[in-house]
Amino acid sequence: MSKEVILLSNPSNFAVVQLPERNFPGVVVQGDTLNSLVSSLKEMSLLLEAHDFENLAAGLADMEEQLGDALIKYEKICREREIELPYSPAQ
């Protein structure tokens, strides 16, 4: 039995795909991007322990921007393909 993944967006660090037997699309994160996000979280944890809130805030803002951009892309692809979101979008 063959199962097929459908690429719904351009291949990038955060590609939107439709997996077999899933109702909603998902996002594939490239391995190097995933590693970078995890490394950033570890660094932010150390900044929190050191009470370095200025650099912590900057790191959180950067991660929010990266993941926010991926979410915007996901929602755009779903809208274009008339796919209902699996959540209520933020206002």
Side-chain angles (χ1 to χ4, degrees), residues 7-90:
L7 181 63
L8 301 177
S9 70
N10 61 327
S12 64
N13 287 338
F14 297 99
V16 181
V17 299
Q18 181 67 53
L19 297 174
E21 302 173 17
R22 298 298 300 191
N23 292 327
F24 300 102
V27 176
V28 174
V29 180
Q30 288 299 112
D32 59 332
T33 302
L34 179 60
N35 182 62
S36 176
L37 290 169
V38 171
S39 293
S40 292
L41 283 172
K42 289 177 183 177
E43 183 179 327
M44 285 185 265
S45 180
L46 294 173
L47 292 169
L48 180 61
E49 288 176 15
H51 302 285
D52 186 349
F53 301 117
E54 186 175 328
N55 286 317
L56 174 61
L60 287 170
D62 182 56
M63 184 170 285
E64 180 182 9
E65 181 179 354
Q66 287 182 61
L67 293 173
D69 288 348
L71 184 61
I72 288 168
K73 178 180 180 178
Y74 176 83
E75 290 177 355
K76 178 180 181 280
I77 295 297
C78 287
R79 257 191 328 276
E80 289 173 356
R81 295 180 175 264
E82 299 180 352
I83 300 170
E84 184 178 332
L85 294 175
Y87 56 86
S88 296

